[in-house]
Amino acid sequence: MPFGAADAGSIARALKILEPYTKGAKAWFEDGDEAWVKGTLIQRADDESVGIARLVFVRDDSVTSTAAQIVAQTGSHTLTTSPMGRGESGSMRRRNSIKAAPLEDLLRMVTRASRLTGGRISSIQRMENNYVIDIAFSELVEPGADGELLPPLCNPPILDCTPDLTTLSYLHEPAVLYNLKRRYEQHLIYTYSGVVL
């Protein structure tokens, strides 16, 4: 194993931690303008031989058409998206394209990055409206590491605007702020946290 030994037990624990992160899962990402924004998982690639998982999210507020094509080549871990938008003249034009590095390049990058970051391999990169997260299994199974390496998951829509924060499936900063914002927009100013108003 290139990154400090992910044995079978570590791989199983890492995959268990990553279990809720399936295609279509929604997560929160920090944003300078809006504090937190939602993103949807469009690709997940686990490579047990290398000991790395790659998660690719697209922001929910980005403009894409129904004709957007998402092609994932699992062999080289390359992701290409080609959402189309209307140009000023009304013609269709290509808006963006994202290519994640092939595994060989990824190995070289993370080995170099781990030397620069004091041994940390995992990273998150933002490319326009996309987030690419590379996570080393060996770092993911460290005690308390999943909270800092993985983006916080969104609550199901049925829990939007709930009056009691303790009923949220995921209770973290972005979930609380989003719930308070939704309640404020509907002029519902009182929100509970258990029995506390």
Side-chain angles (χ1 to χ4, degrees):
M1 296 284 148
F3 303 121
D7 58 15
S10 296
I11 291 172
R13 285 194 315 272
L15 293 175
K16 184 71 174 165
I17 292 169
L18 290 168
E19 202 170 84
Y21 292 87
T22 58
K23 189 174 180 178
K26 295 193 178 288
W28 292 102
F29 294 91
E30 288 190 63
D31 183 66
D33 297 329
E34 299 179 39
W36 295 92
V37 293
K38 284 184 182 182
T40 302
L41 183 63
I42 58 171
Q43 181 195 26
R44 174 177 154 193
D46 300 330
D47 193 325
E48 296 175 23
S49 65
V50 177
I52 290 181
R54 169 168 282 167
L55 306 165
V56 181
F57 289 85
V58 63
R59 278 179 64 151
D60 285 359
D61 59 356
S62 62
V63 179
T64 57
S65 72
T66 55
Q69 296 178 350
I70 300 171
V71 179
Q73 300 170 358
T74 55
S76 64
H77 292 268
T78 301
L79 176 82
T80 307
T81 62
S82 55
M84 305 297 280
R86 296 235 179 247
E88 292 176 14
S89 64
S91 62
M92 295 299 282
R93 61 177 171 79
R94 188 175 186 158
R95 291 210 41 192
N96 65 0
S97 178
I98 174 176
K99 288 193 184 247
L103 268 182
E104 299 79 33
D105 294 344
L106 177 62
L107 287 173
R108 282 193 293 275
M109 286 188 294
V110 294
T111 302
R112 180 176 179 274
S114 68
R115 288 193 302 265
L116 297 174
T117 60
R120 211 28 129 186
I121 296 165
S122 302
S123 68
I124 181 168
Q125 303 167 27
R126 178 162 181 207
M127 299 175 213
E128 293 186 22
N129 292 321
N130 300 286
Y131 299 92
V132 179
I133 303 169
D134 294 315
I135 302 171
F137 290 164
S138 59
E139 292 176 2
L140 188 58
V141 296
E142 292 174 8
D146 59 328
E148 64 186 48
L149 297 177
L150 293 170
L153 289 167
C154 296
N155 287 296
I158 190 107
L159 296 176
D160 283 356
C161 208
T162 185
D164 187 357
L165 295 175
T166 60
T167 61
L168 296 175
S169 300
Y170 302 107
L171 186 60
H172 41 60
E173 179 186 351
V176 170
L177 292 175
Y178 179 73
N179 192 60
L180 292 174
K181 177 184 173 193
R182 292 290 311 268
R183 290 186 59 77
Y184 179 78
E185 291 170 348
Q186 295 179 13
H187 305 290
L188 302 169
I189 60 171
Y190 295 109
T191 303
Y192 297 88
S193 182
V195 295
V196 179
L197 177 61

